[in-house]
């Protein structure tokens, strides 16, 4: 089947509230170009109004401001609005440019919105909780009685201390370098929990005294503050469960952001297959096989049929040494099909042989998981960036 909005909807049978398109690797412009065209069609033909990517949820607010209101410039949005270096990908730049152009002359619910769904985390560490705690406290201080606040802004500042303590890169490999279990951090977790609880308890008043965007962002601040401090707490842990906790906290934060977007209306999301699949995710690290419930599994359990997941796969990435797949693997079976790219019903592929990736950056599809995919988007050959033509 062709990869377009009509065939996607025909395969799914109805429009899900949250439609997830996975990717087996990051930064391949062939896949990003295909994603952009598919998302454009789904916006224009199926009424999706939010596009979310696997990037820092707080940084993504700068992209949303540019897309929705034209705040700043495209260069500024790409530089300040993406984590993990994703702002350098030409396909992401094309997507943001198109979203802004689409919004010209539109207002209200017709506008497209952008969202990052990842926590303020990088592989080597996590951000300071200062910006999000300060924003949450400031929002509440402007709207509720002062005697309801669990602490003052000055108390938060004193407990936070130097931001460099929180962003210490050595903490990822050495728990003793983390401040996540210091007395100050423990106190901050309590304050963050109380601030989030106050946000919830004051919901009727806060909705009445806020714009929808202000309310959405306050809730984002609340769940990010508590999630980020929880992540720092487990960075300081020395038990065998440390890495499983860290991976689980990250995906739980992604899931919470996705569920919030689904509340707002039909949304599209693009992230790694391992974050969006319905099964547990796994990885081998330091001789340990780690498994945790990923964001897609959490969201699927909550939304049921309102969540749909299309996995993506590639046949070759020759510029990274990934050559023609063995014919008995999922990718090998799909590589033999005449249509390229194609959308495939995954039924019947569960008996394939697992593919061993020759490059750490590519995660092959797991035959044990395909029965839980709603479809597979397959591209035979990923081209080097300079050879990818974009719309």
């Amino acid at each position: 089947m062709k990869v377009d909005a009509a065939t996607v909807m025909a395969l799914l049978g109805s429009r899900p509230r949250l439609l997830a398109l996975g990717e087996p690797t990051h930064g391949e412009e062939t896949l990003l170009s295909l994603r952009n065209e598919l998302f454009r069609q789904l916006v224009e033909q199926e009424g999706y109004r939010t596009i979310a990517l696997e990037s820092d949820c707080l940084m993504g607010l700068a992209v949303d401001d540019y897309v929705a209101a034209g705040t700043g410039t495209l260069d500024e949005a790409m530089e300040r609005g993406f984590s993990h270096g994703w702002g350098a990908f030409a396909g992401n730049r094309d997507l943001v440019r198109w979203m802004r152009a689409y919004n010209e002359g539109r207002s209200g619910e017709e506008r497209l919105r952008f969202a990052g769904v990842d926590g303020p985390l990088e592989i080597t560490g996590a951000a300071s909780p200062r910006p999000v705690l300060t924003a949450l406290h400031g929002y509440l201080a402007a709207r509720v009685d002062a005697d309801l606040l669990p602490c003052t802004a000055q108390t938060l500042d004193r407990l936070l201390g130097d931001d460099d303590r929180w962003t210490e890169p050595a903490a990822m490999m050495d728990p003793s370098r983390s401040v996540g279990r210091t007395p100050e951090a423990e106190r901050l977790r309590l304050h963050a929990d109380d601030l989030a609880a106050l946000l919830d308890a004051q919901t009727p008043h806060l909705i009445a005294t806020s714009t929808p965007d202000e309310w959405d962002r306050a809730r984002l601040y609340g769940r990010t503050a508590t999630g980020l401090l929880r992540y720092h707490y487990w960075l300081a842990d020395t038990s065998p469960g440390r890495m499983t906790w860290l991976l689980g906290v990250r995906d739980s934060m992604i899931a919470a952001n996705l569920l919030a977007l689904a509340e707002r209306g039909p949304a599209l999301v693009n992230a790694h297959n391992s974050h969006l699949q319905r099964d547990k995710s796994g990885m081998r690290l330091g001789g340990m096989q780690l498994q945790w419930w990923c964001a897609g599994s959490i969201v699927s359990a909550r939304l049921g049929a309102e969540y749909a997941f299309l996995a993506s796969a590639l046949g070759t990435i020759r510029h990274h040494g990934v050559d023609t797949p063995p014919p008995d693997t999922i990718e090998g079976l799909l590589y033999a099909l005449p249509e390229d790219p194609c959308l495939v019903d995954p039924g019947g592929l569960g008996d394939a042989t697992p593919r061993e990736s020759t490059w750490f950056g590519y995660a092959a599809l797991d035959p044990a998981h395909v029965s839980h995919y709603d479809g597979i988007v397959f591209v035979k050959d990923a081209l080097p960036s300079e050879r990818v033509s974009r719309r």
Side-chain angles (χ1 to χ4, degrees), residues 35-355:
R35 173 204 68 187
N36 289 354
E37 178 60 20
L38 178 59
F39 279 10
R40 180 188 68 80
Q41 293 179 23
L42 288 166
V43 164
E44 294 177 348
Q45 299 174 28
E46 299 297 330
Y48 284 93
R49 287 296 176 263
T50 297
I51 294 178
L53 302 185
E54 181 190 332
S55 184
D56 185 325
C57 58
L58 301 179
M59 296 179 73
L61 297 175
V63 182
D64 186 50
D65 285 340
Y66 173 73
V67 165
T71 303
T73 66
L74 177 60
D75 286 342
E76 291 169 344
M78 303 311 297
E79 181 179 352
R80 297 189 292 106
F82 287 88
S83 58
H84 312 314
W86 294 174
F89 296 158
N92 287 342
R93 187 181 184 88
D94 291 345
L95 177 67
V96 173
R97 181 192 293 114
W98 173 77
M99 292 177 71
R100 176 59 203 151
Y102 181 92
N103 281 344
E104 290 289 350
R106 289 182 168 89
S107 61
E109 295 182 356
E110 286 300 306
R111 290 181 304 164
L112 294 182
R113 304 299 298 269
F114 178 90
V117 294
D118 206 350
L121 312 168
E122 293 284 353
I123 294 174
T124 56
S128 166
R130 180 185 303 279
V132 67
L133 275 173
T134 301
L136 176 60
H137 188 279
Y139 170 84
L140 288 168
R143 292 169 175 82
V144 303
D145 294 339
D147 57 2
L148 293 178
L149 295 171
C151 61
T152 65
Q154 291 74 22
T155 297
L156 288 180
D157 185 64
R158 175 177 57 80
L159 292 172
L160 285 162
D162 189 345
D163 283 345
D164 289 343
R165 300 187 313 147
W166 296 94
T167 57
E168 168 59 63
M172 178 54 70
M173 302 306 297
D174 182 359
S176 69
R177 302 294 294 274
S178 170
V179 298
R181 296 196 178 189
T182 61
E184 294 84 0
E186 296 279 11
R187 195 68 191 168
L188 283 169
R189 286 190 77 189
L190 291 174
H191 287 324
D193 184 67
D194 283 341
L195 288 168
L198 183 59
L199 189 73
D200 187 58
Q202 294 286 316
T203 293
H205 169 68
L206 294 173
I207 289 177
T209 57
S210 306
T211 66
D213 282 353
E214 289 171 340
W215 173 240
D216 282 347
R217 292 191 178 193
R219 294 176 67 206
L220 172 64
Y221 299 149
R223 59 181 179 268
T224 304
T226 54
L228 183 55
L229 284 164
R230 185 176 299 114
Y231 190 90
H232 279 289
Y233 176 86
W234 286 101
L235 267 178
D237 182 56
T238 57
S239 77
R242 176 179 184 261
M243 286 306 303
T244 301
W245 259 103
L246 291 174
L247 293 164
V249 168
R250 181 189 178 192
D251 267 277
S252 292
M253 293 175 72
I254 295 174
N257 287 330
L258 289 174
L259 289 167
L261 293 179
E263 284 182 25
R264 193 166 72 184
L268 303 165
V269 57
N270 179 223
H272 199 280
N273 287 330
S274 63
H275 289 304
L276 299 176
Q277 65 189 27
R278 288 188 172 90
D279 294 273
K280 278 187 173 180
S281 290
M283 66 180 295
R284 182 169 292 279
L285 183 67
M288 296 186 299
Q289 183 61 44
L290 306 174
Q291 285 193 320
W292 67 99
W293 290 109
C294 66
S297 65
I298 297 169
V299 172
S300 180
R302 294 281 295 275
L303 294 185
E306 287 295 302
Y307 178 72
F309 168 55
L310 304 177
S312 290
L314 288 164
T316 73
I317 319 174
R318 291 194 166 88
H319 49 284
H320 284 303
V322 180
D323 292 321
T324 305
D328 58 346
T329 64
I330 293 175
E331 286 89 342
L333 293 169
L334 299 178
Y335 201 78
L337 298 177
E339 198 165 22
D340 179 39
C342 62
L343 174 66
V344 180
D345 186 324
L349 294 174
D351 294 331
T353 300
R355 182 186 191 184

